[in-house]
């Protein structure tokens, strides 16, 4: 039996359960949430659906009568060329069966009776993971020779960097990617993933500086049911759920010292101990760490463990700042504009030569991300297909922003050409840069100096193109 949500499905879910009442219950719940659902009673029927249809997620009972078990469904699903995620349901949950399911490649494991909201969240997260895997596959197919858009730039330093990427990609060694904010550390980590044998598996970036210690460890290592308030069921951490893919530990320099100790042991033993568990679970994902800090200095200052530094620093890839490779600015700008032209439906968009020359002379404190934002701004605001110098911010054109002057009585005087939004933006950007400099690049400290919450500070950095990937990982319940 199948059903489709009005307005189009959010994904195709295959439900496998030998109890009709449970199949009908799950189908009603999932269709109500917008999923297309196919429900079958046994392993053989599930295999037929998997062979015939495109399935995004399988939810299967562990006990399916004499025709097989949920593990058989799991194995059939994993054998597909583009395997769906699999969630197993049972009334007889034990840690050993959960571990077995995880080793076989299940996304997660849930026990009856379960809470509807708990299942909804599980379905959402499982489909999110599949979408990430499909995105990786699509990116790989779309790459130009070498690394395509990721490889734009022919300066000697970038050629040397991409040569190293090609060399390290097939291995499993831990890689440390360093460089200023905005240089593209996540893109390099993703390139390593896509160029290796793990490309079909998930690439999971994780921001180590965005969460408190408890949530950080739960996200990385997983947790057991009841191990803390809100832990309603067992949850694998990123290192396990990534399978044989890649986990990128972004901003690893901001990880608390106590978590650094645990991460060191995990990397040495290749096993994780979920929060609240006495048992260890092996993991097979590759780990790539990234930081905009100088970890050697952090070690000397006592903020980063020396033994963890050497464990992460097996292979180091250092990304040069954009100001150190100005020859790469024009081809990067043209590359970003070509992508925008397609998105905006304006294929004739192009830069005037003098516009490219101005960008090439600019220092770009926000690096590649700032350049990308600048190109988007120019393309979006320009009425002409030829992007001249006036489409660039005044600072890039070498002009000072009109400033507010102080008149009589201390009140600001606004002269010709003054623009309040530009003035406030410029002031905010200068304060952000000054705080980062004073805090030696430590974002949490810079936020405190400005009297901002960390989330607000990160939002403002993103707004001005002053940081790397800013999507905060959503903590799992």
């Amino acid at each position: 039996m199948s059903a489709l949500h009005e307005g189009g499905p959010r994904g195709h879910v295959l439900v496998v359960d030998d109890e009709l009442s449970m199949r009908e219950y799950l189908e009603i719940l999932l269709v109500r949430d917008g999923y297309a659902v196919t429900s079958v009673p046994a392993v053989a029927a599930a295999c037929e659906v998997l062979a015939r249809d495109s399935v995004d997620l399988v939810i299967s009972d562990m006990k399916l009568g004499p025709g097989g078990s949920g593990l058989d469904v799991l194995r059939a699903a994993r054998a597909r060329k583009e395997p769906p995620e699999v969630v197993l349901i049972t009334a007889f949950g034990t840690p050993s069966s959960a571990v077995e399911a995880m080793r076989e490649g299940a996304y997660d494991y849930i026990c009856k009776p379960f809470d509807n909201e708990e299942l909804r969240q599980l379905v959402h997260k499982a489909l999110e993971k599949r979408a990430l895997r499909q995105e990786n596959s699509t990116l790989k197919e779309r790459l130009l020779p070498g690394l395509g858009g990721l490889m734009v730039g022919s300066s000697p330093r970038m050629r040397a960097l991409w040569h190293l990427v090609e060399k390290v990609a097939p291995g499993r060694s831990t890689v440390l990617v360093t460089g200023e904010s905005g240089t593209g550390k996540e893109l390099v980590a993703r390139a390593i993933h896509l160029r290796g044998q793990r490309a079909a598996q998930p690439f999971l970036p994780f921001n180590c500086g965005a969460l408190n210690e408890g949530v950080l460890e739960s996200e990385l290592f997983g947790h057991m049911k009841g191990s803390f308030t809100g832990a309603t069921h067992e949850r694998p951490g990123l290192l396990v759920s990534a399978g044989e893919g890649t986990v990128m530990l972004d901003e690893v320099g901001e990880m608390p010292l106590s978590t650094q100790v645990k991460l060191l042991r995990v990397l040495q033993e290749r096993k994780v101990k979920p929060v609240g568990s006495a048992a260890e679970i092996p993991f097979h994902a590759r780990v790539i760490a990234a930081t905009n800090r100088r970890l050697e200095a952090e070690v000397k200052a006592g903020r980063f463990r020396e033994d963890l530094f050497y464990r992460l620093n097996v292979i180091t890839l250092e990304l040069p700042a954009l100001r150190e490779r100005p020859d790469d600015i024009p081809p990067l700008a043209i590359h970003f504009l070509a992508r925008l032209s397609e998105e905006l439906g304006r294929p004739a968009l192009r830069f005037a030569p003098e516009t490219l020359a101005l960008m090439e002379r600019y220092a770009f404190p926000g690096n590649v991300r700032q350049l990308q934002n600048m190109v988007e701004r120019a393309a979006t605001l320009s009425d002409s297909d030829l992007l001249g110098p006036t489409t660039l911010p005044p600072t890039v054109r070498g002009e000072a922003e009109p400033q507010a002057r102080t008149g009589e009585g201390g009140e600001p005087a606004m002269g010709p050409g003054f623009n309040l939004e530009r003035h406030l933006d410029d002031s905010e950007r200068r304060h952000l840069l000054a705080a980062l400099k004073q805090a030696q690049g430590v974002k949490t400290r810079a936020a405190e100096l400005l009297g901002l919450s960390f989330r607000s500070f990160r939002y403002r950095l993103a707004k001005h193109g002053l940081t790397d990937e800013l999507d905060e990982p959503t903590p799992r319940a």
Side-chain angles (χ1 to χ4, degrees):
M1 177 181 182
S2 20
L4 194 63
H5 177 69
E6 290 183 7
R10 298 166 59 188
H12 183 192
V13 182
L14 171 62
V15 173
V16 189
D17 199 301
D18 56 355
E19 293 183 17
L20 176 61
S21 59
M22 179 56 73
R23 294 201 304 274
E24 290 177 341
Y25 174 77
L26 288 171
E27 188 167 321
I28 291 169
L29 181 67
L30 293 166
V31 169
R32 187 178 297 161
D33 283 352
Y35 302 104
V37 181
T38 300
S39 59
V40 297
V43 175
C47 291
E48 289 178 9
V49 175
L50 288 167
R52 182 185 69 234
D53 300 336
S54 174
V55 177
D56 300 301
L57 173 66
V58 177
I59 301 177
S60 176
D61 196 354
M62 278 287 284
K63 286 188 172 292
L64 294 173
S69 70
L71 287 177
D72 295 313
V73 175
L74 170 62
R75 290 165 190 145
R78 298 292 295 171
R80 304 302 303 160
K81 183 179 179 181
E82 294 184 4
E85 296 299 331
V86 179
V87 172
L88 295 174
I89 302 178
T90 183
F92 310 93
T94 64
S96 60
S97 59
V99 170
E100 184 181 3
M102 296 304 170
R103 285 176 177 166
E104 293 274 358
Y107 173 76
D108 209 341
Y109 186 94
I110 189 170
C111 297
K112 299 177 185 176
F114 52 80
D115 178 73
N116 287 353
E117 186 57 32
E118 178 186 356
L119 182 65
R120 284 192 177 104
Q121 289 298 318
L122 197 55
V123 168
H124 175 71
K125 290 291 184 182
L127 289 172
E128 220 175 39
K129 179 183 174 183
R130 175 168 168 78
L132 276 171
R133 195 169 66 224
Q134 289 177 322
E135 180 188 352
N136 287 340
S137 178
T138 302
L139 278 171
K140 186 180 180 185
E141 291 173 2
R142 291 177 60 188
L143 290 178
L144 300 173
L147 294 170
L150 305 181
M151 198 177 175
V152 173
S154 58
S155 61
R157 290 190 66 178
M158 290 306 291
R159 286 201 303 269
L161 175 68
W162 296 124
H163 177 67
L164 278 175
V165 167
E166 294 283 4
K167 287 188 71 174
V168 304
R172 55 166 288 179
S173 299
T174 303
V175 178
L176 178 63
V177 184
T178 65
E180 294 180 7
S181 293
T183 49
K185 293 186 288 296
E186 183 176 332
L187 292 181
V188 170
R190 191 181 290 271
I192 293 170
H193 173 78
L194 290 173
R195 299 298 291 174
Q197 298 175 353
R198 302 169 184 266
Q201 297 295 314
F203 173 82
L204 303 181
F206 179 73
N207 190 321
C208 298
L211 302 173
N212 64 43
E213 183 179 339
V215 178
L216 177 63
E217 292 181 14
S218 173
E219 285 288 307
L220 279 178
F221 310 140
H223 64 254
M224 303 301 290
K225 180 178 179 180
S227 57
F228 54 85
T229 303
T232 56
H233 65 288
E234 299 168 21
R235 175 76 70 191
L238 287 177
L239 290 168
V240 171
S241 60
E244 295 186 358
T246 303
V247 174
M248 177 193 174
L249 302 179
D250 197 10
E251 296 188 23
V252 71
E254 297 189 19
M255 182 178 286
L257 282 167
S258 57
T259 308
Q260 291 178 30
V261 176
K262 297 174 183 177
L263 177 62
L264 173 64
R265 188 174 186 279
V266 162
L267 294 177
Q268 289 173 334
E269 304 295 331
R270 300 293 298 178
K271 294 178 181 178
V272 297
K273 183 184 290 185
V275 177
S277 172
E280 293 185 323
I281 303 174
F283 73 95
H284 307 287
R286 185 179 196 173
V287 174
I288 298 177
T291 180
N292 59 11
R293 296 195 195 184
R294 292 289 178 185
L295 289 188
E296 299 95 328
E298 295 297 302
V299 169
K300 289 180 181 178
R303 291 188 292 265
F304 201 82
R305 290 185 62 93
E306 186 176 25
D307 45 10
L308 178 58
F309 169 66
Y310 288 122
R311 172 60 62 176
L312 294 174
N313 195 33
V314 177
I315 299 170
T316 300
L317 302 181
E318 183 173 0
L319 274 71
L322 192 54
R323 63 183 174 276
E324 297 171 1
R325 50 186 185 106
D327 290 349
D328 288 339
I329 292 174
L332 275 168
I334 291 168
H335 168 72
F336 292 138
L337 185 62
R339 281 178 19 188
L340 277 168
S341 298
E342 185 178 343
E343 293 175 13
L344 297 173
R346 298 174 62 185
L349 281 174
R350 65 196 187 282
F351 288 111
E354 55 269 32
T355 307
L356 290 173
L358 284 170
M359 286 193 287
E360 190 172 356
R361 291 197 293 268
Y362 184 61
F364 283 100
N367 290 295
V368 178
R369 185 175 302 279
Q370 184 186 5
L371 172 62
Q372 184 174 5
N373 291 342
M374 190 180 295
V375 172
E376 182 176 355
R377 173 187 184 274
T380 304
L381 298 180
S382 176
D383 293 326
S384 169
D385 286 337
L386 182 66
L387 306 183
T390 57
T391 62
L392 300 176
T395 50
V396 183
R397 302 198 303 267
E399 302 172 9
E401 289 274 14
Q403 300 292 316
R405 297 179 297 277
T406 302
E408 293 183 9
E411 295 181 358
M414 279 66 74
F418 175 75
N419 181 289
L420 179 61
E421 287 190 6
R422 283 203 306 265
H423 172 71
L424 293 176
D425 279 349
D426 180 62
S427 177
E428 182 177 70
R429 191 173 189 280
R430 285 187 284 109
H431 279 81
L432 290 169
L433 289 170
L436 282 168
K437 183 177 180 181
Q438 187 173 334
Q440 297 182 328
V442 181
K443 296 186 181 69
T444 50
R445 295 177 191 168
E448 290 173 3
L449 288 172
L450 293 170
L452 297 173
S453 68
F454 187 59
R455 185 181 295 273
S456 176
F457 181 70
R458 289 167 61 81
Y459 165 77
R460 293 166 196 271
L461 288 180
K463 171 182 166 185
H464 293 283
L466 297 176
T467 186
D468 282 332
E469 183 60 38
L470 290 172
D471 290 336
E472 297 188 19
T474 303
R476 289 190 261 187

